[in-house]
Amino acid sequence: MTLLDPPPETTAAALRGQLVRHLTESGSLRTEPWRAAVEAVPRHEFLREGFFEPVPGSAPTAWRPVSADADGWLGRCYTDESLVTQIAGTIVPGDIRGEILRAPTSSSTMPSLVVRMLEELEVEDGDQVLEIGTGTGWSTGLLCHRLGDERVTSVEVDPDVSRRAAAALGTCGRFPELVVGDGLAGHEDGAPYDRLIATCGVLELPRAWIGQTRPGGTVLATLCGWLYSSELARLTVEGDGVARGRFLGGRISFMLARPQLPPPLGMLPDMDTGDERVARLGPDVLDDWDARFVAQLAAPRAQHVRLTRDGRTEHVVLDVAAGDWAALTQDGPHWTVRQGGANRLWDAVEDHVLRWRADDAPTVEHFAIAVTPDAQTITWPTGR
Ligand SMILES: C[S@@+](CC[C@H](N)C(=O)[O-])C[C@H]1O[C@@H](n2cnc3c(N)ncnc32)[C@H](O)[C@@H]1O
């Protein structure tokens, strides 16, 4: 820094002002209390250990570290991008030089998504909030600014991530209750909550979240699947383990809750066995976000892989735990599907997707969700 440079804190405040303008203009930041929170809580304090950036052109994505003393680090902390802070469950930016090809496991979510979710949570003064997925702690800090530290509890599954978040929050003078544990169990000790917000995705809404939110309270979470289509849902709790709501749109995706990550594929089934027929739908149906979401409802634990065997590309959809599989190969103008296991996965996907198409293929933001003590049901509107 030279004598003519502004002190870093002035620069950070100016960058926060720019971020607030961007978030307001893009429509994600809509109300004064959250504007004041984004202006007050310094995101860069939550990224002091650096972050990982994607290596341009890499596929699958490779990541390289950006340290806090790198040129442009401060500016990047105030851009509207998600910044990955941990890879493969343990690796932080200071641990490596060069590039790494493993999956991100913690991040500071992109500001426009964080503030959109906070706005969608529709908090009121005095609300008690449970956050699942503390991550860097930036969103926790925004909640503290809006409601007061004593009204915010945040659960993080990874003790190191939680410890770093506690340090960053402390630097900002914030001391909410931070819990280390599996957020899928919520945090019974502080229940009932007025609002529950999850910043990791889930395959289905945990019963604990409904049970720990007061009747009339709100649960906001992203429903995901292993075919990687997902959407943000907001539910109102009705009591007795029942909650109902709808999807909010925006094709929101989050890293999945760690206990719900897909199992490794391991040994593949013998795909020369099984029943064969002409497919009613080809695997290209899975290229479409909404159709893929519908397919996931039919095959909730299925994963999709492309294999090359004997020079031919085969699309395999398989549920590792159940041992069900479907392999699709192109046969001139048709697709052929071979299926094995106790359940015919592709039959279920085709039935569901074709029924959804017959109902005019509404996009996921028109879907509804209901959770009862026995089941979670996701439906789309019919007879529009
Ligand atoms: C996208 S990050 C959270 C971003 C954070 N809200 C922020 O603003 O920095 C998701 C976090 O959820 C955590 N997580 C994953 N599974 C979890 C679980 N079962 N319970 C609690 N936290 C979990 C991850 O370790 C990760 O830190």
Side-chain angles (χ1 to χ4, degrees):
M1 196 173 89
T2 71
L3 283 175
L4 295 175
D5 288 333
E9 287 317 310
T10 316
T11 317
L15 290 167
R16 277 200 294 287
Q18 281 173 24
L19 179 63
V20 163
R21 278 194 295 284
H22 166 77
L23 298 176
T24 307
E25 281 161 21
S26 64
S28 41
L29 188 52
R30 300 196 301 259
T31 58
E32 175 54 31
W34 290 119
R35 191 193 62 71
V38 177
E39 235 160 35
V41 182
R43 190 180 187 220
H44 70 281
E45 290 297 350
F46 298 83
L47 294 161
R48 285 270 180 215
E49 297 195 24
F51 51 80
F52 292 94
E53 64 178 4
V55 176
S58 58
T61 307
W63 301 89
R64 64 188 175 209
V66 177
S67 71
D69 53 16
D71 280 351
W73 166 81
L74 186 62
R76 292 280 295 277
C77 293
Y78 290 100
T79 52
D80 190 15
E81 55 178 332
S82 286
L83 296 171
V84 170
T85 48
Q86 187 202 55
I87 286 193
T90 55
I91 299 165
V92 294
D95 290 342
I96 63 158
R97 289 184 194 180
E99 300 175 2
I100 181 164
L101 253 181
R102 302 282 304 276
T105 42
S106 192
S107 64
S108 176
T109 305
M110 70 192 292
S112 54
L113 177 53
V114 171
V115 298
R116 177 185 169 203
M117 286 178 68
L118 293 173
E119 295 276 13
E120 302 278 19
L121 199 58
E122 297 177 340
V123 294
E124 290 173 14
D125 292 348
D127 277 354
Q128 289 286 345
V129 176
L130 179 64
E131 179 188 48
I132 309 296
T134 314
T136 62
W138 184 60
S139 53
T140 322
L142 296 174
L143 281 163
C144 290
H145 187 276
R146 170 68 182 83
L147 296 166
D149 301 3
E150 65 291 354
R151 303 206 176 275
V152 179
T153 305
S154 185
V155 188
E156 168 59 53
V157 74
D158 186 315
D160 292 336
V161 170
S162 181
R163 188 179 39 73
R164 281 192 290 273
L169 284 159
T171 304
C172 303
R174 292 292 173 193
F175 300 94
E177 181 166 8
L178 298 183
V179 179
V180 175
D182 181 2
L184 296 177
H187 182 60
E188 184 66 48
D189 289 357
Y193 302 96
D194 301 289
R195 302 284 184 267
L196 186 149
I197 177 171
T199 61
C200 55
V202 287
L203 295 178
E204 62 269 325
L205 278 189
R207 305 255 177 273
W209 295 3
I210 312 285
Q212 293 173 20
T213 304
R214 70 161 168 83
T218 301
V219 174
L220 186 76
T222 303
L223 273 296
C224 307
W226 294 339
L227 295 177
Y228 292 103
S229 178
S230 53
E231 195 53 278
L232 183 64
R234 183 174 56 208
L235 295 92
T236 302
V237 173
E238 296 178 358
D240 297 326
V242 176
R244 282 175 225 285
R246 63 179 194 87
F247 289 85
L248 301 179
R251 299 189 170 182
I252 303 305
S253 61
F254 264 107
M255 41 185 79
L256 265 168
R258 290 194 194 179
Q260 295 188 339
L261 287 169
L265 294 173
M267 292 264 301
L268 291 173
D270 178 359
M271 287 180 290
D272 292 326
T273 61
D275 317 327
E276 189 171 293
R277 64 170 172 82
V278 173
R280 290 177 286 163
L281 293 173
D284 49 319
V285 71
L286 301 178
D287 296 342
D288 176 77
W289 185 275
D290 295 296
R292 200 160 70 236
F293 193 89
V294 173
Q296 259 169 202
L297 298 177
R301 294 290 188 274
Q303 302 181 63
H304 175 200
V305 279
R306 286 173 192 76
L307 301 176
T308 305
R309 296 202 306 162
D310 304 329
R312 298 183 76 192
T313 300
E314 217 166 32
H315 288 257
V316 180
V317 174
L318 78 168
D319 179 331
V320 173
D324 300 332
W325 58 271
L328 290 128
T329 42
Q330 191 146 26
D331 212 357
H334 304 292
W335 286 89
T336 298
V337 61
R338 237 170 317 109
Q339 304 186 79
N343 302 293
R344 295 292 177 258
L345 277 182
W346 202 248
D347 290 9
V349 167
E350 287 176 334
D351 289 348
H352 236 62
V353 171
L354 290 170
R355 203 147 33 81
W356 168 73
R357 283 187 181 170
D359 288 327
D360 291 341
T363 53
V364 180
E365 68 201 78
H366 296 101
F367 287 26
I369 173 166
V371 184
T372 68
D374 306 320
Q376 170 178 295
T377 318
I378 294 176
T379 48
W380 59 81
T382 54
R384 289 193 303 161

